[in-house]
């Protein structure tokens, strides 16, 4: 068991705070807080499939223009370049589970151009 006060900062991306609860082969679990008005840097999660459960606030994901609210689950496929934002004046908090054993976070400059 891991308690909230045992989370440690991990896998930094500008504009958000990820905290690791635990990591074992093929699984990474933790929490992400996105500050009010923040827009994160672009990133992907290597070969990991990522699941987010929104606990509080509003979390927007830019790869499909998703807007998630408390109680919503979001799936981010492996290698999907995306960024999060929080358009409100309250922090958003989500629980993260990643499966696949890849690099937890790969920060990138920007997404590739759209296909023509």
């Amino acid at each position: 068991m891991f308690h909230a006060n045992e989370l440690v900062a991990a896998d930094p991306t500008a504009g958000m705070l990820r905290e690791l609860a635990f990591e074992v082969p093929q699984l990474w679990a933790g929490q992400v807080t996105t500050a009010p008005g923040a827009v994160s840097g672009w990133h992907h999660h290597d070969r990991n499939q990522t699941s987010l459960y929104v606990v509080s606030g509003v979390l927007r994901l830019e790869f499909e223009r998703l807007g998630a609210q408390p109680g919503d689950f979001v799936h981010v496929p492996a290698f999907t370049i995306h960024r999060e934002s929080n358009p409100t004046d309250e922090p958003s908090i989500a629980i993260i589970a990643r499966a696949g054993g890849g690099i937890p976070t790969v920060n990138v400059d920007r997404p590739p151009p759209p296909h023509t």
Side-chain angles (χ1 to χ4, degrees):
M1 175 189 277
F2 296 85
H3 298 280
N5 64 350
E6 297 174 315
L7 298 174
V8 294
D11 304 315
T13 296
M16 59 195 331
L17 171 63
R18 284 190 202 92
E19 296 175 289
L20 174 66
F22 67 89
E23 185 173 15
V24 296
Q26 306 295 314
L27 179 62
W28 189 105
Q31 176 177 286
V32 61
T33 302
T34 306
V39 177
S40 79
W42 293 100
H43 59 281
H44 65 82
H45 302 293
D46 195 50
R47 67 177 185 250
N48 293 294
Q49 299 290 327
T50 299
S51 175
L52 296 158
Y53 174 77
V54 181
V55 175
S56 63
V58 173
L59 180 62
R60 292 211 174 131
L61 279 91
E62 192 172 342
F63 71 93
E64 289 186 0
R65 301 274 187 205
L66 298 172
Q69 299 177 26
D72 290 345
F73 287 87
V74 177
H75 173 241
V76 180
F79 299 105
T80 300
I81 296 173
H82 63 284
R83 67 180 175 180
E84 286 95 330
S85 63
N86 176 358
T88 71
D89 59 359
E90 297 291 327
S92 70
I93 298 173
I95 302 304
I96 309 166
R98 291 198 186 99
I103 298 167
T105 301
V106 178
N107 294 305
V108 298
D109 290 334
R110 60 183 175 271
H115 291 63
T116 57

